[in-house]
Amino acid sequence: MIKPYTNKAWYLVLPVFALVAFSAIIPLMTVVNYSIQDIFDANTRYFVGTEWYREILNDTRLHDSLVRQFIFSGSVLLIEIPLGILVALMMPARGPGSVVCLLVLALPLLVPLNVVGTIWQIFGRADIGLFGWALNSLGINYNYAANPMDAWFTVLLMDVWHWTSLVALLCYSGLRAIPDAYYQAARIDRASNWAVFRFIQLPKLKNVLLIGVLLRFMDSFMIYTEPFVLTGGGPGNSTTFLSQTLTKMAVGQFDIGPAGAFSIIYFLIILLVSWLFYTAMTHNDGK
Amino acid sequence: MSLTLENVTRMVDGQYYINQASLNFEPGSFNVLLGRTLSGKTSLMRLMAGLDKPNTGRVLMNGLDVTGVSVQERNVSMVYQQFINYPNMTVYDNIASPLRLANESETLINKRVMETAEMLHITSYLSRLPLELSGGQQQRTAMARALVKDADIILFDEPLVNLDYKLREELRQEMRDLFAQRNTIAVYATTEPNEALALGGTTTILHEGRIIQSGPTAETYHSPCNVTAAALFNEPPINLITGKMSATEVTFDDKVHFPLNADLKALGEGDYQFGIRPSHLSLLPKNDDDLEISVQVELAEISGSETFLHVRNEHFQLVLHLSGVHSYHVDEKIKIYVPTHKLHVFNGDGQLIQASSRRIEDHYHG
């Protein structure tokens, strides 16, 4: 039997299309729209082409926060990924101990971002914060409000405290998925612990690590709340990252055009770097 | 290198995994461990390898006590049911890994890897990663890793279970050849009686952590020492019928009578259990003294070109293993024939009294 050709199936795709349009395409296109016009009021607008893009790309404020942003995300990945793997390797595989570990690890993940900021803001104060007070009484001059290095250290510490658990949990589940026979085979081969890690555990963890690296990169690249709560991006501009610069520009100065261009570039950077990570980590996967 | 287990017992959480096992393996021998899932095959292998320590008993290698010696200090290899290879090493590096860990020279490694790959027909895949290979090729790689290092003992823990039928037959065939000229003890665990028969060598039957019988495969098959061994070493399990023997005849469940033959006459009167292999039952009489039994069909299972016919009368159930595809209706009334000289006779406790007569050996077909 020959079925008559109809377009009815397209109607079934329509709800999804509408949903995606409202959630992603329309907001994004609005920003694109802003980024290529100079808007004075509802009726006065001029098409400016790529002018805002050129302006943004030459803005030194932006260059500075971009560099800071890359250093921050790089540090986050360099600390959290190995630390997460280490924590996962040391966790007990079964028994009541593993449940306790999982619960403790999951706790930081449940704390809202601005609460994390507030916790560490108070915790790190030299006068009433246990952490700041302890450091200072040990003779270490620690003051995140005055010293850029201390502010950086505190923001990094916050992020590590907050998100290493995620990497650890991902790796833990990855490790549990390795059949026992692999370890047995390695023991029979007289492989060292390092060889077991390098040739069995790490390759088997690759997929969860890929997710971990991407999530931590994207998330840390968009960091806003923690430094904002801690010092408002200071001292000076030392902890002002991209999203804070963008927010100042968009809702502080109300420069919608440049902010739109900035948003698009910001988005493309995240996309590009994520793609680079993904490609680098999967390039020799075979088929 | 010979391996001896002396009254080895392994208990975990008060449960016997292995119970008083004593076995001896000769150098160059091929040994099959036959038993159902959880019968202790893997536990026994782990004890042989030194992955686990027995709670009591001793493990001897060449007469030397190695009970406490760890697996790293023994020279063993193992192949598993899952295809265990290093995921990010090429096939070549995988095969070379045991030699590299032993710090062999690169020229020797190359020579050994090429030889082993040749034996297992994976020479053309040496530069691939394991995951780029089919299951059979992955398992060949794992076997090459086990064979490359000239271990004293090579343990195979149901290595062919995850492969398809055709590959299984092919690899099984090659296995015997691979070990023909080696001085290694090969131990092969399986749940399938047919696999044990195909591999030959010696067979040890395990059940609930105990060794029930051990000996040359053919002998073990032909004279199972008790009803459990008989049931385990046949697929489908051997048919058991209880019966009474008088001075002149045997009666199955007060119903079916047949006169004694010379072999049975020697046993004396009493209650016995009679075992008959499903493949020995037939739908047509083959000998003059075959016993005819009227039964009803319960189920005809067709498996490939064979049929397992489940039948019953009021007293007992039987399974027939027939070659060819036969179809029957449920409750269809048929007659089957029992070759009385093929009966195994067990006493009331299930111990073998007399194995089936092998006088018509030509008729035997598996």
Side-chain angles (χ1 to χ4, degrees):
Chain A
M1 196 183 91
I2 299 163
K3 286 185 179 166
Y5 180 83
T6 65
N7 286 328
K8 277 186 187 144
W10 287 108
Y11 293 118
L12 299 174
V13 188
L14 215 59
V16 178
F17 182 76
L19 210 68
V20 173
F22 275 102
S23 70
I25 299 171
I26 292 175
L28 194 65
M29 286 337 263
T30 316
V31 176
V32 172
N33 193 26
Y34 290 152
S35 73
I36 51 171
Q37 297 186 70
D38 196 355
I39 302 169
F40 291 96
D41 59 52
N43 301 314
T44 325
R45 51 178 68 197
Y46 301 98
F47 179 73
V48 294
T50 56
E51 200 185 309
W52 295 136
Y53 287 91
R54 267 179 279 139
E55 187 186 307
I56 285 295
L57 288 173
N58 289 319
D59 187 339
T60 48
R61 256 192 323 168
L62 247 156
H63 295 168
D64 292 348
S65 42
L66 185 65
V67 170
R68 277 195 288 271
Q69 187 69 71
F70 270 114
I71 295 174
F72 180 74
S73 286
S75 318
V76 161
L77 289 180
L78 282 177
I79 297 169
E80 289 179 15
I81 299 294
L83 192 62
I85 296 173
L86 200 67
V87 171
L89 285 174
M90 291 193 308
M91 277 169 67
R94 52 187 74 83
S98 69
V99 180
V100 173
C101 284
L102 287 173
L103 279 175
V104 170
L105 275 181
L107 273 180
L109 298 175
L110 304 176
V111 183
L113 293 169
N114 54 348
V115 175
V116 174
T118 312
I119 290 173
W120 283 87
Q121 197 218 25
I122 296 168
F123 194 45
R125 280 178 66 152
D127 49 358
I128 56 167
L130 183 63
F131 181 64
W133 177 82
L135 280 184
N136 278 298
S137 40
L138 285 172
I140 302 162
N141 186 16
Y142 167 84
N143 183 351
Y144 62 75
N147 186 340
M149 281 309 285
D150 292 349
W152 261 81
F153 171 74
T154 313
V155 176
L156 262 179
L157 196 62
M158 262 194 251
D159 203 85
V160 170
W161 177 83
H162 199 177
W163 292 113
T164 303
S165 297
L166 179 76
V167 182
L169 289 176
L170 282 171
C171 290
Y172 183 75
S173 69
L175 284 173
R176 295 290 79 76
I178 303 175
D180 206 39
Y182 276 92
Y183 297 110
Q184 254 183 56
R187 267 170 76 195
I188 289 176
D189 278 358
R190 301 169 192 168
S192 61
N193 286 342
W194 167 251
V196 170
F197 175 70
R198 171 69 186 79
F199 296 114
I200 295 171
Q201 290 171 324
L202 203 56
K204 288 271 171 192
L205 282 182
K206 198 166 86 176
N207 287 333
V208 288
L209 278 179
L210 178 64
I211 297 171
V213 167
L214 286 181
L215 278 179
R216 283 319 302 134
F217 166 74
M218 288 190 255
D219 212 39
S220 66
F221 209 77
M222 298 187 283
I223 188 168
Y224 177 81
T225 317
E226 291 95 326
F228 181 76
V229 173
L230 188 73
T231 58
N237 272 334
S238 59
T239 56
T240 306
F241 297 114
L242 279 180
S243 55
Q244 204 177 331
T245 314
L246 174 62
T247 312
K248 268 184 202 159
M249 193 182 287
V251 295
Q253 304 157 0
F254 223 70
D255 286 336
I256 295 291
F262 189 166
S263 303
I264 300 294
I265 292 167
Y266 197 171
F267 169 64
L268 289 178
I269 292 174
I270 295 182
L271 205 62
L272 178 74
V273 177
S274 299
W275 177 79
L276 284 177
F277 274 126
Y278 184 82
T279 315
M281 289 180 79
T282 54
H283 80 286
N284 54 0
D285 257 4
K287 47 190 169 181
Chain B
M1 181 73 70
S2 73
L3 175 77
T4 310
L5 304 178
E6 271 184 13
N7 294 320
V8 167
T9 297
R10 175 151 170 87
M11 266 174 93
V12 177
D13 299 331
Q15 219 183 339
Y16 282 104
Y17 279 25
I18 293 296
N19 197 344
Q20 294 286 331
S22 294
L23 275 176
N24 189 39
F25 299 96
E26 293 301 325
S29 61
F30 197 97
N31 308 276
V32 178
L33 297 181
L34 177 68
R36 301 208 173 110
T37 313
L38 295 178
S39 62
K41 303 186 296 294
T42 304
S43 307
L44 198 62
M45 287 191 150
R46 291 179 63 99
L47 290 170
M48 287 184 214
L51 284 161
D52 291 330
K53 253 182 73 178
N55 296 58
T56 60
R58 299 199 303 163
V59 181
L60 307 172
M61 263 175 153
N62 272 347
L64 282 170
D65 191 338
V66 293
T67 315
V69 177
S70 74
V71 63
Q72 285 94 338
E73 286 153 62
R74 300 189 197 182
N75 190 11
V76 297
S77 305
M78 197 154 174
V79 179
Y80 301 86
Q81 188 177 330
Q82 304 104 314
F83 314 136
I84 304 292
N85 293 303
Y86 295 110
N88 64 340
M89 286 188 195
T90 60
V91 170
Y92 182 96
D93 290 333
N94 257 294
I95 302 174
S97 63
L99 299 176
R100 292 221 168 107
L101 286 162
N103 285 322
E104 299 287 357
S105 76
E106 216 40 55
T107 36
L108 180 86
I109 291 178
N110 190 43
K111 185 170 154 282
R112 302 273 302 139
V113 170
M114 295 317 281
E115 276 172 17
T116 316
E118 187 78 36
M119 274 196 301
L120 286 153
H121 312 300
I122 44 176
T123 324
S124 40
Y125 312 116
L126 285 174
S127 57
R128 299 230 205 136
L129 291 173
L131 282 178
E132 297 168 349
L133 301 176
S134 71
Q137 291 158 350
Q138 286 184 48
Q139 194 63 315
R140 281 170 190 271
T141 308
M143 284 167 71
R145 277 184 46 237
L147 290 169
V148 77
K149 74 167 181 184
D150 248 334
D152 298 326
I153 308 170
I154 303 190
L155 303 162
F156 294 92
D157 194 355
E158 301 187 45
L160 307 182
V161 169
N162 289 352
L163 296 175
D164 66 70
Y165 184 72
K166 202 89 209 107
L167 272 171
R168 226 163 12 179
E169 297 220 309
E170 197 180 304
L171 267 170
R172 193 152 66 196
Q173 193 53 49
E174 287 171 27
M175 291 272 280
R176 288 314 315 268
D177 304 337
L178 288 179
F179 284 94
Q181 331 82 322
R182 279 180 175 248
N183 203 26
T184 308
I185 299 172
V187 183
Y188 186 105
T190 181
T191 54
E192 291 173 39
N194 291 338
E195 202 157 72
L197 285 169
L199 288 165
T202 67
T203 294
T204 300
I205 303 177
L206 275 170
H207 186 60
E208 292 173 350
R210 284 176 187 278
I211 291 168
I212 294 190
Q213 191 173 2
S214 184
T217 301
E219 204 173 290
T220 312
Y221 177 77
H222 286 300
S223 345
C225 68
N226 58 28
V227 286
T228 319
L232 288 169
F233 207 161
N234 208 77
E235 182 58 40
I238 199 164
N239 294 299
L240 288 167
I241 311 168
T242 54
K244 203 184 270 305
M245 206 185 298
S246 71
T248 54
E249 60 173 17
V250 172
T251 312
F252 286 160
D253 293 297
D254 305 323
K255 170 98 170 46
V256 189
H257 309 269
F258 65 93
L260 294 184
N261 59 32
D263 295 327
L264 295 174
K265 226 164 232 160
L267 298 176
E269 298 175 28
D271 290 332
Y272 294 98
Q273 290 186 75
F274 297 88
I276 181 80
R277 293 187 193 278
S279 56
H280 288 153
L281 295 170
S282 59
L283 297 169
L284 295 167
K286 285 183 177 161
N287 308 286
D288 301 337
D289 57 350
D290 275 3
L291 170 67
E292 186 186 276
I293 304 179
S294 304
V295 290
Q296 277 186 322
V297 174
E298 269 203 319
L299 172 72
E301 258 182 278
I302 295 164
S303 156
S305 59
E306 296 175 330
T307 306
F308 299 114
L309 193 63
H310 297 248
V311 298
R312 65 173 306 139
N313 67 10
E314 309 83 285
H315 299 287
F316 46 81
Q317 287 180 299
L318 296 171
V319 181
L320 285 80
H321 181 176
L322 307 167
S323 56
V325 174
H326 304 257
S327 54
Y328 286 96
H329 297 292
V330 174
D331 290 341
E332 198 173 325
K333 288 191 169 46
I334 57 168
K335 286 187 168 45
I336 60 166
Y337 296 88
V338 183
T340 51
H341 61 277
K342 289 288 187 193
L343 288 170
H344 291 277
V345 185
F346 302 94
N347 67 12
D349 300 329
Q351 299 301 316
L352 183 75
I353 301 292
Q354 184 178 286
S356 76
S357 150
R358 287 159 77 179
R359 68 187 142 105
I360 315 177
E361 205 54 26
D362 311 339
H363 277 226
Y364 170 68
H365 50 83

